[in-house]
Structure formats: structure tokens, C-alpha cells
């Protein structure tokens, strides 16, 4: 017996950031024209502000919203953002990773100008939580000189290890990723400002809305970081095997139990982020002999999805589970090609 289940949230349903913040630019916004204007000479070069590996132990969840109106638009003219989002969100897989500790790092050298601690680590989905005037939660601001600063939000309470006035170097730990402020999952929200105006580190050219092509030469990221943060429309945040049906809450909490040879069920699951309208998802569970044990191929998505949980599974046969390697294969097809692919394996 096989079965499949899914759960999804739309892009606008996720409260992932730090409130509205400062508009990305005060001039009328236009599509980017070539050649790209390089960033100001006094702008800092930014390194990855979190101690994780993009695509392995963390993902970029949301970009800055460059649309000045009620719509949403990231720097590549996609919708990997939400209304008035004023920064970049680096998301870790789950609360288990948060509890283990993920360091937040200074993106560039500078001086700690201000900070806040003491805000509880709790999801805004929890009844009674009020983060008014504390949307950033626990945070640190680093002054890089010449009017440039970076702000680090949603830090774990009690984890900040710097003080106002401290000099910090690129990559120096500031705190740990938390769940404080206006967020419902653990992540780091990074905001870049110049003279008080919020700047998109991926495309800091003033007066530009977005560019569906390459913006080489305009990024504030250093070369290595820029390579690791290449634009993605879709990624896998979590995946693997479970002993029974999974829920978004269980996956977010972390510690999903893996099956054993005695398990009554084998479940294959995956949680993807940043999916597009019309994407087609397929999740397959295969046994040691390569035969398909369970499979789900969903119809095209009716709208963009900030995250999507899908699982398939099979009950233990009367003869028991065969020994060997089991495989979970997840594919997102977009416009006839594979846009996202991921495999997981386990052995009995």
C-alpha cells in the first residue's frame, strides 16, 4: 500500500523578515540597462554572514523586495521575496540546527554601533506573541564607515558576544542564529544600508528595479560569496526518510526519526522552497532492486510557493523490508526541464 501527502504555503503567507524597513531606493525604478554600474568605491565587500554552506546546510529563503508598490520583485525580476521585505534571509534547515548553534558572522570589517538582546526566541505563530517595535528581534549593527552599515536580525537570545564600540574583522562571530522578532522559523536577516537607505547587496545600483539577466560587476558580495549565492528559483531545504507521515511542524522542529528494518512504514519526504507557478513536482521512493515502491507526481502549481512539503511512503510488506539501499528522488520540472533535483539514500 502506498500513499502521498503534501502541504504548502504561498509566498505571501510566510512572515520571514524584519518588517517594512526603508525603501530600497527613492528614485523611480526602472529595468536595468547594460552596462551595469559598479557599486561605489567606498562600499564594503561582503562575505557570507553565516557559518553554513549554501545548498548543503542552509539556503537563501528571501531576497529584498525591489518593487516600490504593492507587488513583489527580487533583483532578477522573480518573486523570491515578499511585500516590502528589506533584506536578505539566510535560512537554516530546522530548529535542531538552531539548537546546535549556527554562528552569525561580520560580513565586512567595522565597528559595532548598536545592538539589542533579551528578546525571546519564539515563533510569531505562537498565540499571544507581540513583536511590535522589535521586528528585528535580537540584533547587531556594524558600521563600516562612509555611511555603510549592516544589520543582523533574529539572533538567539543571550548569544551576542560583541559590545558597542568593538572593532570586528570580516568573518568574526557576532552571535548565533535564533528565532527572535518577526519570524516563524530560524534564520538570519541581513540588511545593508548606505546613509540610511536600504541597499540590495545583489544589485546596489540606485534607481534600478530588477534585471532578469546577469548583474555581474554590481554585487557587493566578494567573489567567493557571490559564486555561492548564485540566483536560484527553487531549492530543497530538508529531505530524507521517516517512520510515518510527516508534518511541516515536525520537519521544522527537527529530529525526524529515520526508519529501521523493523519499521512498519518507510516514508520519503522533502521540503522545498522558492517554487514557481506551473512547477511540476515528482517524488519517488525506490527499493534496493531499483523498483518503485511509491511515487507522487503532482499537477502544476497554481501559484508560487515559499515552501512545500511532500511525502510518499509504503507499508512494510509481509516478507519484511529487503536489505540494501533505498533511494528517494525528488525532481521539479519547469518548462520541460529539471529545475531542481535531489536524492537521499539509506541502507537497511
Amino acid at each position: 500500500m502506498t500513499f502521498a501527502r503534501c502541504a504548502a504555503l504561498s509566498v505571501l503567507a510566510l512572515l520571514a523578515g524584519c518588517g517594512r524597513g526603508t525603501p530600497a531606493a527613492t528614485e523611480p525604478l526602472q529595468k536595468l540597462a547594460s552596462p551595469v554600474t559598479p557599486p561605489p568605491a567606498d562600499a564594503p565587500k561582503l562575505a557570507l554572514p553565516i557559518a553554513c554552506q549554501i545548498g548543503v546546510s542552509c539556503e537563501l529563503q528571501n531576497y529584498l523586495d525591489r518593487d516600490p508598490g504593492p507587488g513583489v520583485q527580487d533583483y532578477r525580476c522573480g518573486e523570491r521575496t515578499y511585500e516590502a521585505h528589506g533584506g536578505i534571509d539566510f535560512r537554516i534547515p530546522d530548529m535542531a540546527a538552531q539548537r546546535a548553534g549556527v554562528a552569525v558572522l561580520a560580513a565586512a570589517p567595522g565597528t559595532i554601533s548598536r545592538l539589542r538582546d533579551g528578546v525571546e526566541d519564539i515563533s510569531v505563530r505562537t498565540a499571544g506573541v507581540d513583536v511590535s517595535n522589535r521586528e528585528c528581534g535580537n540584533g547587531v549593527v556594524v558600521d563600516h564607515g562612509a555611511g555603510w552599515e549592516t544589520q543582523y536580525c533574529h539572533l538567539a537570545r543571550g548569544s551576542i558576544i560583541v559590545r558597542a564600540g568593538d572593532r570586528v574583522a570580516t568573518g568574526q562571530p557576532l552571535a548565533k542564529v535564533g528565532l527572535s522578532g518577526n519570524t516563524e522559523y530560524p534564520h538570519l536577516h541581513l540588511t545593508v544600508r548606505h546613509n540610511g537607505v536600504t541597499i540590495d547587496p545583489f544589485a546596489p545600483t540606485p534607481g534600478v528595479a530588477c534585471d532578469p539577466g546577469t548583474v555581474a560587476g554590481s554585487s557587493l558580495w566578494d567573489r567567493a560569496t557571490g559564486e555561492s549565492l548564485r540566483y536560484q528559483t527553487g531549492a530543497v531545504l530538508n529531505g530524507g526518510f521517516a517512520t510515518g507521515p510527516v508534518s511541516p511542524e515536525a520537519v521544522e522542529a527537527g529530529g525526524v526519526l529515520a526508519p529501521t528494518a523493523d519499521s512498519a512504514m518507510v516514508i520519503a519526504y522533502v521540503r522545498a522552497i522558492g517554487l514557481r507557478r506551473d512547477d511540476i513536482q515528482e517524488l519517488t521512493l525506490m527499493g534496493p532492486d531499483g523498483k518503485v515502491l511509491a511515487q507522487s507526481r503532482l499537477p502544476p502549481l497554481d501559484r508560487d510557493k515559499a515552501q512545500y512539503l511532500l511525502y510518499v511512503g509504503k507499508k512494510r510488506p509481509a516478507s519484511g523490508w529487503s536489505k540494501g539501499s533505498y533511494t528517494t528522488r525528488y525532481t521539479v520540472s519547469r518548462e520541460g526541464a529539471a529545475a531542481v533535483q535531489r536524492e537521499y539514500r539509506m541502507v537497511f
Side-chain angles (χ1 to χ4, degrees):
M1 179 179 181
T2 63
F3 50 88
R5 192 68 61 86
C6 58
L9 290 173
S10 69
V11 170
L12 296 181
L14 287 178
L15 298 175
C18 300
R20 292 184 174 271
T22 307
T26 56
E27 305 172 28
L29 300 181
Q30 306 174 22
K31 289 290 184 68
L32 185 61
S34 296
V36 174
T37 303
D42 60 3
K45 272 296 181 183
L46 305 178
L48 191 66
I50 181 171
C52 62
Q53 185 177 352
I54 300 294
V56 177
S57 53
C58 63
E59 292 288 353
L60 200 157
Q61 175 76 50
N62 295 302
Y63 294 93
L64 183 145
D65 180 20
R66 302 180 68 92
D67 191 302
V72 297
Q73 191 175 71
D74 62 40
Y75 81 101
R76 291 289 298 273
C77 304
E79 296 185 356
R80 290 285 310 274
T81 183
Y82 59 89
E83 169 63 14
H85 185 229
I88 311 298
D89 289 340
F90 297 90
R91 184 173 181 178
I92 58 178
D94 49 39
M95 288 302 298
Q98 191 275 328
R99 290 189 294 270
V102 179
V104 173
L105 312 174
T111 302
I112 305 298
S113 61
R114 56 194 186 276
L115 55 83
R116 176 173 57 202
D117 203 346
V119 181
E120 186 177 5
D121 288 288
I122 186 170
S123 169
V124 292
R125 282 191 167 189
T126 305
V129 173
D130 182 8
V131 295
S132 301
N133 300 316
R134 298 180 301 164
E135 288 85 355
C136 177
N138 302 313
V140 171
V141 176
V142 179
D143 182 350
H144 305 289
W148 291 92
E149 67 178 20
T150 49
Q151 180 178 10
Y152 309 77
C153 294
H154 310 314
L155 309 180
R157 182 170 63 176
S159 73
I160 297 174
I161 56 175
V162 291
R163 296 181 180 181
D166 286 356
R167 288 286 301 171
V168 293
T170 301
Q172 182 172 328
L174 306 175
K176 292 183 179 179
V177 175
L179 193 67
S180 61
N182 185 20
T183 182
E184 59 186 54
Y185 50 76
H187 74 282
L188 166 67
H189 173 100
L190 175 75
T191 294
V192 180
R193 297 189 186 89
H194 186 224
N195 294 327
V197 175
T198 300
I199 300 294
D200 187 344
F202 285 93
T205 307
V208 173
C210 66
D211 173 24
T214 303
V215 289
S218 73
S219 171
L220 293 183
W221 304 111
D222 63 37
R223 186 169 183 175
T225 303
E227 286 291 322
S228 72
L229 295 178
R230 287 185 177 184
Y231 187 80
Q232 295 187 73
T233 53
V236 174
L237 190 64
N238 311 89
F241 301 87
T243 57
V246 292
S247 66
E249 293 78 15
V251 174
E252 187 60 49
V256 174
L257 293 177
T260 68
D262 297 323
S263 296
M265 297 180 184
V266 168
I267 302 292
Y269 73 94
V270 68
R271 181 167 62 160
I273 61 174
L275 300 180
R276 284 183 172 181
R277 178 179 179 178
D278 295 327
D279 280 354
I280 298 173
Q281 301 176 85
E282 185 174 287
L283 183 63
T284 305
L285 171 64
M286 293 174 287
D289 56 3
K291 290 184 179 179
V292 173
L293 301 179
Q295 186 176 53
S296 178
R297 182 179 173 87
L298 301 184
L301 293 175
D302 60 347
R303 60 188 185 277
D304 288 1
K305 304 290 184 181
Q307 68 177 18
Y308 204 108
L309 174 64
L310 174 64
Y311 65 84
V312 298
K314 184 175 178 62
K315 291 185 177 181
R316 182 177 59 198
S319 58
W321 298 112
S322 300
K323 292 183 178 181
S325 179
Y326 289 74
T327 302
T328 293
R329 181 174 297 156
Y330 174 71
T331 302
V332 177
S333 298
R334 181 179 300 150
E335 298 177 353
V340 180
Q341 290 182 307
R342 184 67 67 88
E343 283 193 1
Y344 297 92
R345 297 179 186 275
M346 71 169 186
V347 178
F348 283 159

